[in-house]
Amino acid sequence: MDIIESKTWIEWAITIAKFAFCFVPVLYILLLIPMERRGAGFMQDRQGPNRSYIKIPYFGKLRAFGYVQNMCDGTKLFFKEMFAPAGVNKLLYYVAPAIPFAIVFLSPCVIPWFGPMIFDWGGETVSIAGSIIDSDVGVLLLFGFSSISAYGAMLAGWASKSKYSFLGALRTSSMTISYEVCLGLSLMGILLLAGSFNLTDIVQWQENHVWGIVAQPVAFFCFLIASIAETGRAPFDVAEGEPELVAGYHTEYGAMQFGLFYMGEYSHICINSFLIATLFLGGYAVPFVTTETLQEHMGGSLAVLCGVLAFIALAFLHMIYRYSRKLKATNLTHRFEVLQEYKLYKIVAWVATAAFIALGVAAWFFYNPENFVVNGLAVGSFATAVGTALIHLLVLVAKSLIFCWVWIWVRWTLPRFRYDHVMHLGWKIILNIALINLVVTAVVAKLLGGN
């Protein structure tokens, strides 16, 4: 009761609202699947999924750049029959797909989505952390959560009673354990410089000094390669190995059981992208601008944000108009249907552009919340805290999307590695480079820090 009574209702409201971030990886699945399909089509010089559609009045067939196709695929998986082969361990067989997907809801708890919210509320100074769980061992918790996902693959392969599935599970577990060692060692350099396992402290160190990718470029590349391998994506998808294993540990799974493994993979891409952005790209910090500067010029900051969003809407419009000109110059039989669909996108984009410009102008001229200092601590209004958190969140999302594209880019560019090559890369190359980087970082930090 003392803990409950020690907080105001606004603190409890924001704390409860932060649990919505647990669903961010699930929302990213809806983004990453069409992004990968369209990206694969772009890199292979072909069209992505664009046949399924929803028919609406006047605008005709709405394909939404392939999103309707993904909705159809998800619906198909959801309604397919779940089948278990004879002789399987049914308890473990059905539990295994849920393990990697359940971890998705735990991992976002320690990621700082925005800087600490410090504001005045009824004469009291309120401070709310940007992560759901503000732990001093946040990095260790995150690695612990991600390690549990290996149990899902191992149990799936063993419970399927198939030698091919079991071989795929052995490959997956051995590769995951190997590259988690590389992940931990490559991470130690930035932890040594920041002097904390708390992810918020690491972001604040980067905001006050330099981004992790500048301070630890070698560690960044080691961490990136190990992260791609740890998610089991190509070229490290040795668990699947189609020539001999068909689909690896989930060969015997179908319907939504396979869908859970599928979604778990994309969710781990999301979590790893947020983690890399947090550790090496300054997290929620805006490039070249401190949090104090944002709060002192909140109206201008929101105006710049609206300007960026308006620019993105205009870029989308430019793409639509360019596609329209190309279609008009072709002899495709369905070009008139596509052009009619593009009219809807043009209307939405022009309305969004106008709305963002109007909001930006209003923020610039009329949004000037007060800020003051209490006991040497910068304290603003509730509106300032919310505006800062919104900017921080969008910045972190933008940085994470860059790395999501890197995952897709690597998958559709490099061929699959052989299993022994994967293990050689992890144990004999990346591990040694990470060790040398850690030793050099420790020596340099000792010489420059003097302690």
mmCIF file of all heavy atoms in Angstrom, residues 56-60 62 65 313-314 316-318 320-321 324 338-356:
data_model
loop_
_atom_site.group_PDB
_atom_site.id
_atom_site.type_symbol
_atom_site.label_atom_id
_atom_site.label_comp_id
_atom_site.label_asym_id
_atom_site.label_seq_id
_atom_site.Cartn_x
_atom_site.Cartn_y
_atom_site.Cartn_z
ATOM 1 N N ILE A 56 -13.632 -1.495 -53.477
ATOM 2 C CA ILE A 56 -14.334 -0.416 -52.801
ATOM 3 C C ILE A 56 -14.965 0.496 -53.849
ATOM 4 O O ILE A 56 -14.488 0.544 -54.994
ATOM 5 C CB ILE A 56 -13.395 0.395 -51.885
ATOM 6 C CG1 ILE A 56 -12.238 1.002 -52.694
ATOM 7 C CG2 ILE A 56 -12.844 -0.469 -50.766
ATOM 8 C CD1 ILE A 56 -11.331 1.889 -51.869
ATOM 9 N N PRO A 57 -16.026 1.199 -53.485
ATOM 10 C CA PRO A 57 -16.710 2.055 -54.483
ATOM 11 C C PRO A 57 -15.784 3.129 -55.047
ATOM 12 O O PRO A 57 -14.922 3.659 -54.344
ATOM 13 C CB PRO A 57 -17.855 2.680 -53.672
ATOM 14 C CG PRO A 57 -18.067 1.745 -52.523
ATOM 15 C CD PRO A 57 -16.716 1.175 -52.199
ATOM 16 N N TYR A 58 -15.952 3.438 -56.274
ATOM 17 C CA TYR A 58 -15.281 4.477 -57.054
ATOM 18 C C TYR A 58 -13.804 4.180 -57.296
ATOM 19 O O TYR A 58 -13.325 4.242 -58.421
ATOM 20 C CB TYR A 58 -15.421 5.853 -56.387
ATOM 21 C CG TYR A 58 -14.731 6.949 -57.170
ATOM 22 C CD1 TYR A 58 -15.255 7.397 -58.383
ATOM 23 C CD2 TYR A 58 -13.550 7.524 -56.717
ATOM 24 C CE1 TYR A 58 -14.624 8.377 -59.137
ATOM 25 C CE2 TYR A 58 -12.907 8.508 -57.452
ATOM 26 C CZ TYR A 58 -13.442 8.932 -58.661
ATOM 27 O OH TYR A 58 -12.810 9.898 -59.394
ATOM 28 N N PHE A 59 -13.054 3.849 -56.222
ATOM 29 C CA PHE A 59 -11.616 3.645 -56.380
ATOM 30 C C PHE A 59 -11.278 2.238 -56.887
ATOM 31 O O PHE A 59 -10.119 1.951 -57.176
ATOM 32 C CB PHE A 59 -10.896 3.912 -55.057
ATOM 33 C CG PHE A 59 -11.009 5.333 -54.596
ATOM 34 C CD1 PHE A 59 -11.845 5.663 -53.537
ATOM 35 C CD2 PHE A 59 -10.313 6.341 -55.230
ATOM 36 C CE1 PHE A 59 -11.960 6.972 -53.111
ATOM 37 C CE2 PHE A 59 -10.422 7.653 -54.816
ATOM 38 C CZ PHE A 59 -11.255 7.974 -53.749
ATOM 39 N N GLY A 60 -12.241 1.360 -56.944
ATOM 40 C CA GLY A 60 -12.013 0.050 -57.531
ATOM 41 C C GLY A 60 -11.283 -0.915 -56.618
ATOM 42 O O GLY A 60 -11.593 -1.033 -55.426
ATOM 43 N N LEU A 62 -8.577 -2.191 -54.300
ATOM 44 C CA LEU A 62 -7.583 -1.673 -53.361
ATOM 45 C C LEU A 62 -6.627 -2.799 -52.980
ATOM 46 O O LEU A 62 -7.003 -3.741 -52.289
ATOM 47 C CB LEU A 62 -8.272 -1.113 -52.112
ATOM 48 C CG LEU A 62 -7.343 -0.536 -51.036
ATOM 49 C CD1 LEU A 62 -6.627 0.698 -51.566
ATOM 50 C CD2 LEU A 62 -8.125 -0.194 -49.779
ATOM 51 N N PHE A 65 -0.551 -1.963 -51.937
ATOM 52 C CA PHE A 65 0.867 -2.321 -52.144
ATOM 53 C C PHE A 65 1.214 -3.701 -51.570
ATOM 54 O O PHE A 65 2.309 -3.922 -51.069
ATOM 55 C CB PHE A 65 1.783 -1.262 -51.531
ATOM 56 C CG PHE A 65 1.627 0.093 -52.140
ATOM 57 C CD1 PHE A 65 0.894 1.071 -51.493
ATOM 58 C CD2 PHE A 65 2.193 0.385 -53.372
ATOM 59 C CE1 PHE A 65 0.731 2.325 -52.052
ATOM 60 C CE2 PHE A 65 2.034 1.636 -53.945
ATOM 61 C CZ PHE A 65 1.299 2.609 -53.284
ATOM 62 N N ALA A 313 5.371 12.416 -46.512
ATOM 63 C CA ALA A 313 4.124 12.338 -47.277
ATOM 64 C C ALA A 313 4.323 12.843 -48.702
ATOM 65 O O ALA A 313 3.793 12.268 -49.669
ATOM 66 C CB ALA A 313 3.034 13.139 -46.567
ATOM 67 N N LEU A 314 5.108 13.909 -48.860
ATOM 68 C CA LEU A 314 5.396 14.424 -50.205
ATOM 69 C C LEU A 314 6.248 13.445 -51.013
ATOM 70 O O LEU A 314 6.061 13.309 -52.232
ATOM 71 C CB LEU A 314 6.100 15.777 -50.097
ATOM 72 C CG LEU A 314 5.230 16.954 -49.651
ATOM 73 C CD1 LEU A 314 6.095 18.192 -49.433
ATOM 74 C CD2 LEU A 314 4.143 17.237 -50.680
ATOM 75 N N PHE A 316 6.128 10.232 -50.683
ATOM 76 C CA PHE A 316 5.179 9.194 -51.098
ATOM 77 C C PHE A 316 4.369 9.670 -52.305
ATOM 78 O O PHE A 316 4.136 8.905 -53.257
ATOM 79 C CB PHE A 316 4.257 8.863 -49.920
ATOM 80 C CG PHE A 316 3.191 7.858 -50.244
ATOM 81 C CD1 PHE A 316 3.491 6.514 -50.357
ATOM 82 C CD2 PHE A 316 1.886 8.270 -50.441
ATOM 83 C CE1 PHE A 316 2.499 5.588 -50.659
ATOM 84 C CE2 PHE A 316 0.883 7.361 -50.739
ATOM 85 C CZ PHE A 316 1.191 6.015 -50.855
ATOM 86 N N LEU A 317 3.955 10.921 -52.284
ATOM 87 C CA LEU A 317 3.226 11.483 -53.417
ATOM 88 C C LEU A 317 4.069 11.468 -54.693
ATOM 89 O O LEU A 317 3.590 11.129 -55.779
ATOM 90 C CB LEU A 317 2.804 12.919 -53.100
ATOM 91 C CG LEU A 317 1.432 13.116 -52.441
ATOM 92 C CD1 LEU A 317 1.274 14.558 -52.003
ATOM 93 C CD2 LEU A 317 0.314 12.698 -53.385
ATOM 94 N N HIS A 318 5.333 11.834 -54.549
ATOM 95 C CA HIS A 318 6.233 11.822 -55.708
ATOM 96 C C HIS A 318 6.326 10.422 -56.296
ATOM 97 O O HIS A 318 6.302 10.247 -57.527
ATOM 98 C CB HIS A 318 7.612 12.309 -55.284
ATOM 99 C CG HIS A 318 8.663 12.155 -56.351
ATOM 100 N ND1 HIS A 318 8.716 12.937 -57.481
ATOM 101 C CD2 HIS A 318 9.701 11.269 -56.447
ATOM 102 C CE1 HIS A 318 9.729 12.550 -58.233
ATOM 103 N NE2 HIS A 318 10.342 11.546 -57.633
ATOM 104 N N ILE A 320 4.034 8.024 -56.091
ATOM 105 C CA ILE A 320 2.769 7.680 -56.730
ATOM 106 C C ILE A 320 2.645 8.363 -58.094
ATOM 107 O O ILE A 320 2.236 7.733 -59.090
ATOM 108 C CB ILE A 320 1.593 8.082 -55.821
ATOM 109 C CG1 ILE A 320 1.586 7.225 -54.549
ATOM 110 C CG2 ILE A 320 0.267 7.929 -56.555
ATOM 111 C CD1 ILE A 320 1.393 5.756 -54.789
ATOM 112 N N TYR A 321 3.004 9.637 -58.178
ATOM 113 C CA TYR A 321 2.924 10.343 -59.463
ATOM 114 C C TYR A 321 3.901 9.757 -60.484
ATOM 115 O O TYR A 321 3.593 9.686 -61.689
ATOM 116 C CB TYR A 321 3.194 11.835 -59.270
ATOM 117 C CG TYR A 321 1.988 12.605 -58.791
ATOM 118 C CD1 TYR A 321 1.890 13.058 -57.485
ATOM 119 C CD2 TYR A 321 0.931 12.866 -59.659
ATOM 120 C CE1 TYR A 321 0.773 13.765 -57.046
ATOM 121 C CE2 TYR A 321 -0.192 13.566 -59.242
ATOM 122 C CZ TYR A 321 -0.265 14.012 -57.929
ATOM 123 O OH TYR A 321 -1.374 14.699 -57.504
ATOM 124 N N SER A 324 2.419 6.612 -61.706
ATOM 125 C CA SER A 324 1.277 6.903 -62.581
ATOM 126 C C SER A 324 1.752 7.250 -63.989
ATOM 127 O O SER A 324 1.164 6.803 -64.989
ATOM 128 C CB SER A 324 0.460 8.054 -61.995
ATOM 129 O OG SER A 324 -0.056 7.710 -60.722
ATOM 130 N N VAL A 338 -5.324 0.328 -61.786
ATOM 131 C CA VAL A 338 -4.269 0.761 -60.876
ATOM 132 C C VAL A 338 -4.284 2.273 -60.705
ATOM 133 O O VAL A 338 -4.147 2.796 -59.592
ATOM 134 C CB VAL A 338 -2.890 0.276 -61.372
ATOM 135 C CG1 VAL A 338 -1.788 0.787 -60.455
ATOM 136 C CG2 VAL A 338 -2.851 -1.245 -61.450
ATOM 137 N N LEU A 339 -4.464 2.989 -61.812
ATOM 138 C CA LEU A 339 -4.507 4.456 -61.733
ATOM 139 C C LEU A 339 -5.689 4.934 -60.905
ATOM 140 O O LEU A 339 -5.599 5.929 -60.176
ATOM 141 C CB LEU A 339 -4.588 5.048 -63.143
ATOM 142 C CG LEU A 339 -3.326 4.906 -64.001
ATOM 143 C CD1 LEU A 339 -3.592 5.351 -65.429
ATOM 144 C CD2 LEU A 339 -2.182 5.710 -63.401
ATOM 145 N N GLN A 340 -6.810 4.219 -60.984
ATOM 146 C CA GLN A 340 -7.968 4.576 -60.172
ATOM 147 C C GLN A 340 -7.670 4.349 -58.692
ATOM 148 O O GLN A 340 -8.059 5.140 -57.829
ATOM 149 C CB GLN A 340 -9.176 3.731 -60.598
ATOM 150 C CG GLN A 340 -10.500 4.235 -60.070
ATOM 151 C CD GLN A 340 -10.934 5.541 -60.727
ATOM 152 O OE1 GLN A 340 -10.353 5.954 -61.737
ATOM 153 N NE2 GLN A 340 -11.924 6.203 -60.145
ATOM 154 N N GLU A 341 -6.941 3.275 -58.401
ATOM 155 C CA GLU A 341 -6.540 3.005 -57.004
ATOM 156 C C GLU A 341 -5.575 4.079 -56.504
ATOM 157 O O GLU A 341 -5.660 4.520 -55.356
ATOM 158 C CB GLU A 341 -5.876 1.631 -56.919
ATOM 159 C CG GLU A 341 -5.378 1.270 -55.530
ATOM 160 C CD GLU A 341 -4.539 0.006 -55.527
ATOM 161 O OE1 GLU A 341 -4.336 -0.596 -56.606
ATOM 162 O OE2 GLU A 341 -4.066 -0.380 -54.434
ATOM 163 N N TYR A 342 -4.676 4.525 -57.374
ATOM 164 C CA TYR A 342 -3.696 5.531 -56.968
ATOM 165 C C TYR A 342 -4.355 6.866 -56.609
ATOM 166 O O TYR A 342 -3.784 7.662 -55.851
ATOM 167 C CB TYR A 342 -2.684 5.757 -58.094
ATOM 168 C CG TYR A 342 -1.618 4.684 -58.186
ATOM 169 C CD1 TYR A 342 -0.663 4.705 -59.202
ATOM 170 C CD2 TYR A 342 -1.560 3.657 -57.252
ATOM 171 C CE1 TYR A 342 0.304 3.722 -59.292
ATOM 172 C CE2 TYR A 342 -0.605 2.670 -57.338
ATOM 173 C CZ TYR A 342 0.328 2.715 -58.356
ATOM 174 O OH TYR A 342 1.290 1.747 -58.435
ATOM 175 N N LYS A 343 -5.561 7.114 -57.146
ATOM 176 C CA LYS A 343 -6.261 8.346 -56.784
ATOM 177 C C LYS A 343 -6.527 8.416 -55.288
ATOM 178 O O LYS A 343 -6.435 9.490 -54.677
ATOM 179 C CB LYS A 343 -7.577 8.449 -57.560
ATOM 180 C CG LYS A 343 -7.413 8.731 -59.038
ATOM 181 C CD LYS A 343 -8.772 8.857 -59.704
ATOM 182 C CE LYS A 343 -8.620 9.138 -61.207
ATOM 183 N NZ LYS A 343 -9.939 9.259 -61.876
ATOM 184 N N LEU A 344 -6.873 7.267 -54.698
ATOM 185 C CA LEU A 344 -7.112 7.231 -53.251
ATOM 186 C C LEU A 344 -5.852 7.572 -52.477
ATOM 187 O O LEU A 344 -5.883 8.349 -51.522
ATOM 188 C CB LEU A 344 -7.620 5.840 -52.847
ATOM 189 C CG LEU A 344 -7.817 5.601 -51.344
ATOM 190 C CD1 LEU A 344 -8.865 6.555 -50.780
ATOM 191 C CD2 LEU A 344 -8.215 4.153 -51.084
ATOM 192 N N TYR A 345 -4.710 7.013 -52.901
ATOM 193 C CA TYR A 345 -3.446 7.289 -52.220
ATOM 194 C C TYR A 345 -3.069 8.765 -52.341
ATOM 195 O O TYR A 345 -2.532 9.360 -51.395
ATOM 196 C CB TYR A 345 -2.330 6.417 -52.796
ATOM 197 C CG TYR A 345 -2.614 4.930 -52.725
ATOM 198 C CD1 TYR A 345 -2.162 4.070 -53.711
ATOM 199 C CD2 TYR A 345 -3.353 4.399 -51.676
ATOM 200 C CE1 TYR A 345 -2.422 2.715 -53.656
ATOM 201 C CE2 TYR A 345 -3.617 3.040 -51.613
ATOM 202 C CZ TYR A 345 -3.161 2.204 -52.603
ATOM 203 O OH TYR A 345 -3.423 0.870 -52.537
ATOM 204 N N LYS A 346 -3.342 9.352 -53.496
ATOM 205 C CA LYS A 346 -3.029 10.767 -53.673
ATOM 206 C C LYS A 346 -3.864 11.635 -52.738
ATOM 207 O O LYS A 346 -3.347 12.581 -52.120
ATOM 208 C CB LYS A 346 -3.287 11.175 -55.132
ATOM 209 C CG LYS A 346 -2.321 10.556 -56.135
ATOM 210 C CD LYS A 346 -2.703 10.932 -57.557
ATOM 211 C CE LYS A 346 -1.798 10.258 -58.576
ATOM 212 N NZ LYS A 346 -2.188 10.576 -59.974
ATOM 213 N N ILE A 347 -5.134 11.319 -52.605
ATOM 214 C CA ILE A 347 -6.001 12.094 -51.712
ATOM 215 C C ILE A 347 -5.519 11.995 -50.276
ATOM 216 O O ILE A 347 -5.386 13.006 -49.568
ATOM 217 C CB ILE A 347 -7.463 11.607 -51.841
ATOM 218 C CG1 ILE A 347 -8.016 11.926 -53.229
ATOM 219 C CG2 ILE A 347 -8.337 12.242 -50.758
ATOM 220 C CD1 ILE A 347 -9.387 11.335 -53.501
ATOM 221 N N VAL A 348 -5.229 10.766 -49.824
ATOM 222 C CA VAL A 348 -4.765 10.562 -48.447
ATOM 223 C C VAL A 348 -3.447 11.287 -48.197
ATOM 224 O O VAL A 348 -3.256 11.943 -47.168
ATOM 225 C CB VAL A 348 -4.627 9.054 -48.148
ATOM 226 C CG1 VAL A 348 -3.983 8.832 -46.784
ATOM 227 C CG2 VAL A 348 -5.982 8.367 -48.203
ATOM 228 N N ALA A 349 -2.515 11.195 -49.154
ATOM 229 C CA ALA A 349 -1.205 11.818 -48.976
ATOM 230 C C ALA A 349 -1.308 13.342 -48.968
ATOM 231 O O ALA A 349 -0.635 14.013 -48.166
ATOM 232 C CB ALA A 349 -0.257 11.365 -50.084
ATOM 233 N N TRP A 350 -2.152 13.922 -49.851
ATOM 234 C CA TRP A 350 -2.302 15.382 -49.858
ATOM 235 C C TRP A 350 -2.955 15.873 -48.569
ATOM 236 O O TRP A 350 -2.547 16.901 -48.010
ATOM 237 C CB TRP A 350 -3.140 15.825 -51.061
ATOM 238 C CG TRP A 350 -2.360 15.968 -52.335
ATOM 239 C CD1 TRP A 350 -2.534 15.286 -53.492
ATOM 240 C CD2 TRP A 350 -1.273 16.870 -52.568
ATOM 241 N NE1 TRP A 350 -1.627 15.671 -54.437
ATOM 242 C CE2 TRP A 350 -0.830 16.664 -53.897
ATOM 243 C CE3 TRP A 350 -0.612 17.816 -51.793
ATOM 244 C CZ2 TRP A 350 0.218 17.369 -54.461
ATOM 245 C CZ3 TRP A 350 0.435 18.533 -52.356
ATOM 246 C CH2 TRP A 350 0.839 18.303 -53.669
ATOM 247 N N VAL A 351 -3.953 15.150 -48.073
ATOM 248 C CA VAL A 351 -4.594 15.529 -46.799
ATOM 249 C C VAL A 351 -3.597 15.436 -45.654
ATOM 250 O O VAL A 351 -3.524 16.329 -44.787
ATOM 251 C CB VAL A 351 -5.821 14.633 -46.536
ATOM 252 C CG1 VAL A 351 -6.354 14.859 -45.111
ATOM 253 C CG2 VAL A 351 -6.916 14.910 -47.544
ATOM 254 N N ALA A 352 -2.803 14.364 -45.637
ATOM 255 C CA ALA A 352 -1.798 14.204 -44.580
ATOM 256 C C ALA A 352 -0.756 15.320 -44.643
ATOM 257 O O ALA A 352 -0.354 15.867 -43.606
ATOM 258 C CB ALA A 352 -1.124 12.840 -44.699
ATOM 259 N N THR A 353 -0.314 15.666 -45.850
ATOM 260 C CA THR A 353 0.665 16.749 -45.999
ATOM 261 C C THR A 353 0.126 18.064 -45.465
ATOM 262 O O THR A 353 0.798 18.786 -44.717
ATOM 263 C CB THR A 353 1.061 16.903 -47.472
ATOM 264 O OG1 THR A 353 1.597 15.667 -47.960
ATOM 265 C CG2 THR A 353 2.094 17.993 -47.640
ATOM 266 N N ALA A 354 -1.101 18.390 -45.853
ATOM 267 C CA ALA A 354 -1.713 19.637 -45.383
ATOM 268 C C ALA A 354 -1.877 19.632 -43.865
ATOM 269 O O ALA A 354 -1.639 20.656 -43.197
ATOM 270 C CB ALA A 354 -3.063 19.842 -46.063
ATOM 271 N N ALA A 355 -2.278 18.486 -43.315
ATOM 272 C CA ALA A 355 -2.476 18.398 -41.863
ATOM 273 C C ALA A 355 -1.154 18.572 -41.116
ATOM 274 O O ALA A 355 -1.088 19.296 -40.101
ATOM 275 C CB ALA A 355 -3.110 17.054 -41.511
ATOM 276 N N PHE A 356 -0.095 17.939 -41.605
ATOM 277 C CA PHE A 356 1.205 18.066 -40.938
ATOM 278 C C PHE A 356 1.733 19.500 -41.016
ATOM 279 O O PHE A 356 2.303 20.019 -40.049
ATOM 280 C CB PHE A 356 2.216 17.099 -41.560
ATOM 281 C CG PHE A 356 1.984 15.664 -41.186
ATOM 282 C CD1 PHE A 356 2.047 14.658 -42.147
ATOM 283 C CD2 PHE A 356 1.710 15.314 -39.871
ATOM 284 C CE1 PHE A 356 1.835 13.340 -41.815
ATOM 285 C CE2 PHE A 356 1.502 13.981 -39.525
ATOM 286 C CZ PHE A 356 1.557 12.997 -40.498
#
